Amino acid sequence: AQATKDLAENIKEQEQLRKRLTSDIAHELRTPLATLQSHLEAMVDGVWEPTPARLSFCNDEVIRLTGLIKDLNELSILESDEVKLQKKQVNLSEMLKNLLDNYLLIFSEKDIQLTTDFQQDVTILGDEDRLRQVMVNILSNAYKYTPEKGNVTVELFTKDKWTIIEIRDTGKGIPKEDLAHIFERFYRGDLSRSRESGGSGIGLTIAKALVEAHQGILSIESEVNKGTIVKVQLPRE
């Protein structure tokens, strides 16, 4: 009886997630398309003059749509196990150092203290471009959700059979009820779906798929108003 009840609850939850996914996809496509339509109609009808600034705005919306469709296509490839990793020996210590050097200026714009603690010469067999993509998605979230004068710490170390990258921030955190769904595509605890703070909601889904393609584990711990810890575990062998 308990198993049947649990199954019914799981089915109900999955149905709610499917409905939310459909709603979110519709929202992500509808908003930029509606904006484009209103701007173009105003220019065609002569209400607005097609100035460079207005045309640039329309172009930005097209770029946003193209990026969203590209992300969805990439995610479908990753989830169908068709992704082909270009594996080689990657020095994670050097890769992370070079990547974070580029982020120093970005984080300084919000006066966020970026701290690193790397074990030297940590190497794994992996796809460097894909691993960099994982880190960019995670760091982008840390930047978005960490307030001014906050802290972000990136650690790299080895433990047993794992190489571990931990990204800690002092951001607003994730409510407990949302943590279970954090890797669902388009999922956001903030139902306002603010583009300014939420992005498209696919970045973490792609990051998880890429880590798992490396036979690794991506996990998240978080506490509201205290911060978030993202842990990337990659096999050493």
Side-chain angles (χ1 to χ4, degrees), residues 3-81:
T4 303
K5 180 181 177 182
D6 291 342
L7 178 61
E9 290 177 353
N10 287 335
I11 292 173
K12 182 179 179 181
E13 182 180 3
Q14 289 302 314
E15 181 63 24
Q16 290 173 341
L17 287 173
R18 278 195 294 271
K19 289 179 179 178
R20 179 166 179 166
L21 172 61
T22 302
S23 173
D24 284 345
I25 290 176
H27 173 84
E28 294 294 340
L29 294 176
R30 181 177 63 245
T31 302
L33 285 173
T35 303
L36 271 173
Q37 182 180 4
S38 63
H39 278 64
L40 290 173
E41 284 180 349
M43 286 185 273
V44 168
D45 293 341
V47 177
W48 281 357
E49 182 182 348
T51 63
R54 285 170 180 151
L55 291 173
S56 177
F57 179 84
C58 290
N59 186 56
D60 289 343
E61 291 301 300
V62 171
I63 291 173
R64 191 193 304 277
L65 275 171
T66 303
L68 174 61
I69 293 169
K70 180 182 176 183
D71 284 346
L72 283 170
N73 181 61
E74 180 172 16
L75 189 56
S76 69
I77 293 173
L78 291 172
E79 292 183 338
S80 66
D81 296 325

